[in-house]
Amino acid sequence: MLRYFNFALVFLTLFLVWGIRVSEATELRSDNFIVKDPVMSGGGTWSESDNFGLFTSTDLVFTGTSSTASSSQKYGFLPFPVVVTPQLTATLIGTSTASVSWTAAQAYLGWSVTSYRYGVSANDEDGPYTYTNVNLDLAATTTDLTPDTTYYFVVVVADAFGNQIGTSTPVSLTTPDDEDEEDEDDDQGDGTSSSRGRTSTVVFFGYAHPNGIVRILKDGIFAKEISVDRNGTFTVPLSDVSSGSYIFTVYGIDTSGVRSGLLSFPVTLLQGALTSSLRIFIPPTLSFATNTDDTFRVFGETVPNATVAVVVTDGPATLAIQTDVSDNDGRYSVSFPTPELFGEGFAIRSLASVGDARSPFGLAIHLASPTRALKGDFNKDGRVNLVDFSILAYWQGREGVPAAYDLNSDGVINLADFSILTYHWTG
Amino acid sequence: MQRFFTYIFILFLFFGAFHASAAILLVEEGVIPENGERSFSLMLDTEGETVNAIEGQITVSGDALLSDVRDTASIVSLWVTPLTIKDNALFFSGTIPGGFTGKGEVLTLVFKGTASGNISINIGDVSVFYDDGLGTQTDIAPTSIIRDVVLGAAADPAITDTIPPEPFSIGLINVGMTPEEPLYALIFATDDKQTGIDHYEVQERGRGDDVYTMWVSTASPYVVQDQTLSSHFAVRAYDNAGNVQEEVYKPEGGKGMIGGVLILLGLIVLVMVVRYARRLRTKRSV
């Protein structure tokens, strides 16, 4: 036991020493102060006594460059740019295809993420890696993998000049040997283990509400849900999907439980093929509150540091626009004059953009009835799905319809009611 | 300057974003073989709008029959009524959770030529609804399309489908007026990506799976005959090639089960009372 304790103590000490070494690279500390962005001065001298220090500089103490014909000298507060590297997930599709997806890198203090280079190495984590530029995509596939081989994958983050500013931790997977593949083929042949034929995997990834939930529906039916990370990115692999044509629907729920608009993707899967829906951008959520100062507030959640545009429309006409930049938790908020300025039937919508990615418009709030309550949740289970659809279908064409089922209050159950129910669909 | 770029960005975003226009239904080009089958896609072009519900009535007259309909590649996920051809006519009504924007297939219509000539495909009573949560209809006009029936024209290749429909789950819901007066119904839905779902059948069975009713051809929701929920309920999904997927729903409890438990409890109480009475009698005699 004592041996294990000593080992743990050594490990902890090494960990702490490593952590201190990292912090020294960006900050200067004493008992009484912290210098977050140390000054790099040009020339000058440094004097010190027991109680104070004094420096002089030949340059100004703010960010800039002094240049001559043959050299230049930078001075001022020089930030230390950092980048949060991507987290990779590698999935084997069939026996010879790898699907690799990753979270978006985050760059700070002067750097910006402009592209990714996807690297693959066979049998050696240290490389050499073969790189492919995938721009800002967050997934890539490698086909024709050799059986019984371990493959390593990394993603290099590059800035606008193509310079490497970060590299992910490698992930690996091992392909099955030929015998495993033959066994699988045999299973397909006798029809006992796979009467459905070869299946595919669909990978959904993109931007959503930080720490929220993303749900996937397959042909309108709930298929899978996953938590969104704190950066507002998600990756959802949906496996064991038979070949054929599908409508996949994706939506998000933010940390306040507010649902986003739904996004639909018609997808046709060929046998054994991998399809990736690229960069899904879940629309911002939208809520409404009346302030005490003759204004009303529209707020919600989206990706952190996104430009959010909130618009007030009257049919096809755009009446007012406000913009905001979401905070680090993805929250945004804008204010408009009181609703009385707007007429009956006016609606509020919002969308967001980060870099070159832009969400579509989300659910609308209609000012005549500014509520986000689900319409069509007849069995009160918090979902609008096939159960509610079936209840409405039962009452279509019948007399004595309960008023709660007549969603547009026109006295009959018809396709207009189904359209309203479908708008609130959660699967 | 930054504000200027923001406004440019916003103007770019909203250009055409709320432009209202009509939707269009189309049937793809082609000729129908005499004495052969040929499928045509019925397409919806939303003209840039997002819609979530569509219905209409297709009637065919002339030298071909509307012999089959498939939804394997349809943008419509949920049909309000089953797709059934009757008297060379088809009513369709369905919804698209999440909405659809663009040009996509609503149905595959299969025509079988009976004589050289032509047919008229009329699409009437069409309604298409915006995905706006208000039940607003788009502008869409009835359409009439002519297609030729030609001897020797290419027919569709035969489809080989040995794969059954997808496994599915069965649910039990109350479609009654109130929770106090329940009317129980089964709900079910599945897919067949090869030839499409042809129909469903339901059978009600005793809990020992020893008493059977006839298989009933039906659609979801299906109001069960045994409202005590004492039975097991089997549902079969048939695809258009005749492949079958069967699932069974076994209600937990049910009025029949509750009745049985009450009878059992009553018997136990009765036995205990009898034993107690005997014990009292024995004590008195002693």
Side-chain angles (χ1 to χ4, degrees), chain A residues 217 220 259 262 384-386 389 421-427, chain B residues 78 97:
Chain A
L217 313 181
R259 180 173 73 89
L262 279 64
V384 178
N385 55 19
L386 194 61
F389 184 92
L421 180 139
T422 302
Y423 178 78
H424 292 271
W425 194 264
T426 64
Chain B
L78 300 162

Side-chain angles (χ1 to χ4, degrees), chain A residues 251-254 257-262 285 363 374 423-426:
Chain A
Y251 69 94
I253 299 174
D254 70 14
V258 180
R259 180 173 73 89
S260 75
L262 279 64
T285 53
L363 288 174
L374 287 176
Y423 178 78
H424 292 271
W425 194 264
T426 64

Side-chain angles (χ1 to χ4, degrees), chain A residues 64-414:
Chain A
T65 305
S66 296
S67 300
T68 68
S70 57
S71 66
S72 65
Q73 177 174 273
K74 295 183 185 299
Y75 54 85
F77 288 90
L78 300 181
F80 291 90
V82 292
V83 62
V84 178
T85 55
Q87 303 292 314
L88 271 62
T89 303
T91 308
L92 186 66
I93 309 298
T95 57
S96 62
T97 299
S99 164
V100 181
S101 59
W102 55 89
T103 59
Q106 305 286 327
Y108 303 97
L109 297 173
W111 272 343
S112 65
V113 179
T114 306
S115 64
Y116 298 106
R117 290 199 288 274
Y118 165 70
V120 182
S121 169
N123 286 327
D124 193 345
E125 182 175 354
D126 295 328
Y129 285 87
T130 304
Y131 289 97
T132 306
N133 189 332
V134 293
N135 298 315
L136 282 173
D137 287 349
L138 296 175
T141 58
T142 301
T143 57
D144 301 328
L145 301 179
T146 305
D148 197 20
T149 304
T150 298
Y151 285 87
Y152 296 88
F153 306 93
V154 295
V155 169
V156 169
V157 186
D159 66 7
F161 303 102
N163 297 322
Q164 177 176 334
I165 58 175
T167 305
S168 73
T169 302
V171 296
S172 66
L173 58 76
T174 303
T175 52
D177 60 26
D178 281 332
E179 289 181 6
D180 292 344
E181 191 171 355
E182 284 166 11
D183 290 344
E184 189 174 317
D185 287 343
D186 290 344
D187 288 344
Q188 302 281 337
D190 64 19
T192 54
S193 69
S194 180
S195 62
R196 313 214 55 72
R198 284 182 184 274
T199 58
S200 301
T201 296
V202 187
V203 181
F204 302 87
F205 62 93
Y207 302 117
H209 323 98
N211 302 314
I213 291 170
V214 167
R215 285 196 181 135
I216 310 291
L217 313 181
K218 188 177 78 174
D219 286 338
I221 308 297
F222 173 81
K224 196 169 186 178
E225 78 174 26
I226 199 164
S227 297
V228 182
D229 67 22
R230 62 186 175 84
N231 297 319
T233 60
F234 68 91
T235 302
V236 189
L238 190 64
S239 57
D240 201 25
V241 182
S242 302
S243 56
S245 297
Y246 295 88
I247 301 285
F248 289 106
T249 307
V250 185
Y251 69 94
I253 299 174
D254 70 14
T255 56
S256 301
V258 180
R259 180 173 73 89
S260 75
L262 279 64
L263 303 177
S264 286
F265 301 91
V267 174
T268 298
L269 296 175
L270 303 176
Q271 267 203 358
L274 171 80
T275 298
S276 296
S277 299
L278 298 177
R279 281 205 284 174
I280 295 169
F281 200 148
I282 304 286
T285 53
L286 196 65
S287 295
F288 173 94
T290 305
N291 295 330
T292 55
D293 60 348
D294 290 341
T295 62
F296 68 92
R297 194 165 70 94
V298 176
F299 56 97
E301 295 180 22
T302 183
V303 184
N305 307 309
T307 301
V308 181
V310 182
V311 295
V312 180
T313 58
D314 178 15
T318 300
L319 302 178
I321 301 171
Q322 295 278 4
T323 62
D324 190 21
V325 175
S326 58
D327 64 17
N328 289 335
D329 294 323
R331 295 192 175 89
Y332 72 92
S333 174
V334 299
S335 290
F336 290 93
T338 51
E340 283 75 19
L341 294 178
F342 302 108
E344 183 85 9
F346 288 22
I348 308 170
R349 295 177 174 84
S350 68
L351 57 72
S353 72
V354 171
D356 64 345
R358 171 168 80 90
S359 80
F361 280 102
L363 288 174
I365 287 181
H366 298 280
L367 290 178
S369 56
T371 174
R372 65 182 190 218
L374 287 176
K375 278 191 172 182
D377 181 16
F378 303 131
N379 63 343
K380 309 294 183 195
D381 65 350
R383 297 276 187 95
V384 178
N385 55 19
L386 194 61
V387 172
D388 308 289
F389 184 92
S390 300
I391 291 172
L392 201 59
Y394 173 80
W395 283 102
Q396 188 184 31
R398 294 176 191 267
E399 294 182 351
V401 179
Y405 299 160
D406 184 9
L407 295 178
N408 62 349
S409 305
D410 65 352
V412 293
I413 302 296
N414 54 25

Side-chain angles (χ1 to χ4, degrees), chain A residues 378-379 390-392 394-395 398 400-405, chain B residues 173-185 221 223 227:
Chain A
F378 303 131
N379 63 343
S390 300
I391 291 172
L392 201 59
Y394 173 80
W395 283 102
R398 294 176 191 267
V401 179
Y405 299 160
Chain B
I173 62 169
N174 172 19
V175 294
M177 298 281 283
T178 64
E180 294 75 28
E181 298 176 42
L183 182 63
Y184 293 112
V223 177
Q227 287 289 315

